Amino acid sequence: MELEAQWIVGFVDGEGCFHVSINGHKEMTTGYQVLPEFTVVQHERDVQVLYALKSYFGCGVVRKNHGDRMAYRVRGLPHLWERIVPFFEKHALKTKKRIEFLKFRSIMLMMRENKHLTLEGIEEIRKIKEQMNRQTKIESDSFGNGREHSSEIPCRVSSDLHEWYNDLGAVSTRDSVKL
């Protein structure tokens, strides 16, 4: 299956997710590990599209997600930095997902500068992460006063930490990671 860049942009706008986890990890200098991930989820009947994405980008894995869902995941820092980020810089997303990508990219830049290896950097990353994948709604009270309400948009990523360890180059170590 041959994919075109603009088709991928539209598909990721609808089905993709840029996600960052911050997990406690005793062996890390700061006690925390920052784990960025790009994911696209589909029903297993459409798994060929996920394999086509894997082929197009030349990286990542296709694995079972939950139930009858499959996921294309890219977690390796070099792959995210050299393939995924440049693609979406060149081919801009059209929906609010563009904002999520820009937040994801800013965290990746911080990691490139080794800010994830300091507690101050972890806190900065946490603040950006907390604003990712949120849906903002304007609700009116009984008096017609509008107020903003934010809720998390489900980002269909796996929380199975063992999967992170199985993806070559996905996790940062105590030492800096060169991208």
Side-chain angles (χ1 to χ4, degrees):
M1 176 184 294
E2 296 273 333
L3 300 180
E4 295 178 11
Q6 287 308 307
W7 184 89
I8 292 171
V9 167
F11 193 65
V12 170
D13 261 327
E15 302 296 331
C17 184
F18 298 94
H19 179 76
V20 177
S21 294
I22 300 174
N23 298 323
H25 195 292
K26 289 186 260 182
E27 295 177 21
M28 306 305 275
T29 306
T30 61
Y32 296 96
Q33 185 175 42
V34 179
L35 303 167
E37 175 180 328
F38 167 66
T39 304
V40 180
V41 175
Q42 281 294 284
H43 190 277
E44 62 190 1
R45 71 178 167 261
D46 295 318
V47 72
Q48 76 278 3
V49 174
L50 301 179
Y51 282 108
L53 286 170
K54 180 181 179 205
S55 176
Y56 184 93
F57 287 112
C59 63
V61 296
V62 175
R63 293 210 174 122
K64 191 163 195 71
N65 194 44
H66 299 287
D68 57 1
R69 304 287 175 193
M70 299 294 290
Y72 166 63
R73 293 190 177 102
V74 180
R75 294 176 170 161
L77 295 176
H79 293 152
L80 288 167
W81 194 248
E82 295 166 9
R83 298 178 187 182
I84 303 302
V85 169
F87 176 85
F88 289 106
E89 287 175 329
K90 183 177 180 181
H91 307 284
L93 294 155
K94 309 297 186 219
T95 67
K96 187 174 186 239
K97 192 112 1 143
R98 170 94 176 133
I99 296 166
E100 304 309 320
F101 165 73
L102 293 173
K103 292 174 188 174
F104 180 84
R105 181 182 174 272
S106 71
I107 291 172
M108 293 290 299
L109 286 168
M110 292 173 70
M111 292 179 75
R112 189 175 205 189
E113 297 168 0
N114 293 324
K115 291 185 177 181
H116 67 295
L117 301 176
T118 68
L119 287 175
E120 295 82 15
I122 293 287
E123 188 54 35
E124 225 179 308
I125 291 169
R126 186 183 316 276
K127 287 178 184 175
I128 296 168
K129 174 208 174 322
E130 286 175 357
Q131 295 306 310
M132 290 179 68
N133 302 308
R134 310 228 16 118
Q135 181 176 10
T136 303
K137 297 179 186 173
I138 304 296
E139 296 179 350
S140 295
D141 62 17
S142 58
F143 300 105
N145 298 317
R147 66 180 183 270
E148 206 173 88
H149 173 71
S150 185
S151 62
E152 188 169 345
I153 298 171
C155 189
R156 296 170 271 181
V157 297
S158 174
S159 60
D160 297 334
L161 194 54
H162 73 276
E163 283 190 29
W164 289 95
Y165 294 115
N166 292 333
D167 289 333
L168 180 62
V171 293
S172 59
T173 64
R174 277 184 256 187
D175 301 319
S176 63
V177 174
K178 301 292 182 208
L179 296 179

